[in-house]
Amino acid sequence: MLEHERVVIHTGRRSRLPVIVAVHSTALGPAAGGLRLWHYPDWRDGLTDALRLSAAMTAKFAVAGLPSGGGKAVVALPERGELDDARRRDALRDAADAIALLDGVYATGPDVGTSSEDMALIGETTPHVFCRPTALGGSGDSSPHTAQGALAALRAVSRRLYGTACLDGRRLAVVGLGRVGARLARLLAAEGAALTVTDVDPDKRRIGDELGAVWRSPDETLTADVDIVVPAALGSVLTRRTAADLRCRAVVGPANNQLATPDVADLLHQRGILWVPDYVASAGGVVNAVSTELHRASADEARARVRAIEETVGEVLDTARRHGRTPAQAASELARRRLHAAPDPAAPPTASPGVGTR
Ligand code: PPY
């Protein structure tokens, strides 16, 4: 069954690349979610990615308590070859056209392969775009806020496991040193954590060296003997196989789509490994963007809302423990409750008391 409200697939007029926009749900409000410009073996894999990621955005907003819906856009690049600048701009303009046609049902933002500057380009076509550079009136790069949100989630996990939110001396393994992963690793190093780090790009070793971190291969980092593993790279690192090999007490990080299949959450639970759902731990970026750009929150208010991810994770973990559930079940039940509590936009408006009764 298609769970999504609307899925648009275009062949880009300029780039001839497949442009996919998936609107999973607008039950809580207009949909938002990033634009991914990424390589796929087949464009249908890009479609699958957009479907999964947009559903995760619905849950992300619901659990974060924000009145937005879930969406995601993907421009599916071929497996091999890089776009030159002109073709890349064409691809972004093609994505902007598809977003503009949705007329506010969906607003985009940065994601894997796109930046705040790219949002400026999209903003030339449609106003339905978050995270344009601050000089243009947007909220800018979302990655520092995503990193702060993941740090908040890590504190909640540390409090649960060790009775303190302090990460000083804690052994953490960060898998992926991209925009968010590198920021988060810096924050963790500043907190005094003992870091093991990795990236598929060997040049990132420099960042590890700078932070005094131990560098290992991606596989070794994921299965390192540490307190907490922090997924901060592309999705699906948690498979049945890797779940069996993990040696940490918890997995929590800012990567989207960490589970290869949903049952891996149960396997982790059976092994006594605490897994915080990715859509809870990765919400810092959208929380900041949506709070400041849609709800006119000040920078301080937005920061406080990102920090509140610590309480949200704490509540999810408490509820899970109280009801004998996994954190994945507790978070998805919370999301479902919030979605069901939303008024049905298709229902006729109910007369407010006192109106028309005189
Ligand atoms: C995500 O959190 O996964 C995103 O899609 C990033 C994002 C950031 C800001 C606005 C919309 C989406």
Side-chain angles (χ1 to χ4, degrees):
M1 192 184 88
L2 178 66
E3 288 174 13
H4 294 63
E5 284 179 20
R6 203 188 300 200
V7 183
V8 168
I9 305 173
H10 291 182
T11 297
R13 183 162 67 81
R14 306 167 186 83
S15 66
R16 313 305 300 167
L17 288 166
V19 175
I20 301 147
V21 183
V23 176
H24 176 255
S25 166
T26 57
L28 294 177
L35 166 63
R36 193 165 273 212
L37 199 65
W38 200 242
H39 303 269
Y40 296 93
D42 186 296
W43 72 268
R44 291 170 192 80
D45 300 313
L47 172 62
T48 303
D49 220 14
L51 295 175
R52 287 174 61 194
L53 290 162
S54 59
M57 289 308 294
T58 300
K60 196 178 287 198
F61 284 120
V63 170
L66 287 168
S68 289
K72 209 85 171 188
V74 167
V75 175
L77 306 177
E79 187 88 292
R80 264 173 247 293
E82 291 304 317
L83 293 181
D84 63 30
D85 280 357
R87 189 132 188 274
R88 191 168 180 284
R89 265 196 306 278
D90 282 349
L92 291 169
R93 288 200 197 281
D94 288 337
D97 284 347
I99 294 158
L101 284 172
L102 286 166
D103 202 21
V105 168
Y106 164 76
T108 200
D111 204 294
V112 176
T114 57
S115 66
S116 182
E117 284 69 34
D118 296 335
M119 298 305 113
L121 186 82
I122 288 173
E124 292 174 11
T125 302
T126 170
H128 304 297
V129 56
F130 289 100
C131 300
R132 289 176 308 135
T134 47
L136 295 176
S139 61
D141 184 9
S142 60
S143 48
H145 310 286
T146 308
Q148 286 290 347
L151 178 63
L154 279 160
R155 287 196 209 285
V157 166
S158 172
R159 191 188 299 282
R160 156 56 56 90
L161 292 179
Y162 307 108
T164 167
C166 174
L167 297 164
D168 188 12
R170 204 56 66 203
R171 296 165 309 149
L172 302 184
V174 180
V175 182
L177 295 175
R179 275 204 299 260
V180 175
R183 286 236 174 217
L184 181 55
R186 277 184 216 289
L187 294 173
L188 294 170
E191 298 267 319
L195 295 179
T196 302
V197 298
T198 190
D199 196 280
V200 286
D201 175 1
D203 290 347
K204 297 281 169 74
R205 188 174 186 145
R206 188 179 39 79
I207 300 172
D209 292 345
E210 220 179 280
L211 299 176
V214 174
W215 175 272
R216 292 273 181 268
S217 72
D219 283 350
E220 286 167 342
T221 307
L222 193 63
T223 56
D225 182 9
V226 293
D227 298 314
I228 308 175
V229 166
V230 184
L234 283 177
S236 301
V237 285
L238 299 173
T239 62
R240 290 177 149 275
R241 174 77 198 269
T242 56
D245 291 343
L246 289 177
R247 288 189 290 164
C248 54
R249 287 193 63 192
V251 181
V252 47
N256 283 316
N257 278 5
Q258 292 171 20
L259 302 180
T261 49
D263 59 312
V264 176
D266 302 321
L267 289 180
L268 293 172
H269 187 67
Q270 283 155 20
R271 290 204 55 215
I273 298 169
L274 198 59
W275 180 67
V276 174
D278 36 24
Y279 58 82
V280 185
S282 66
V286 273
V287 167
N288 181 74
V290 168
S291 303
T292 55
E293 296 192 44
L294 276 188
H295 308 303
R296 302 275 151 231
S298 67
D300 276 351
E301 284 164 348
R303 233 190 314 276
R305 289 188 198 176
V306 171
R307 238 181 275 126
I309 291 174
E310 184 174 338
E311 280 79 59
T312 304
V313 171
E315 282 160 26
V316 165
L317 297 181
D318 285 349
T319 309
R321 185 153 69 177
R322 241 191 345 267
H323 299 296
R325 296 272 209 260
T326 66
Q329 288 164 334
S332 104
E333 279 159 22
L334 173 60
R336 216 170 313 137
R337 261 201 316 281
R338 294 214 169 130
L339 285 163
H340 286 156
D344 179 356
T350 47
S352 46
V355 174
T357 54
R358 244 183 329 168

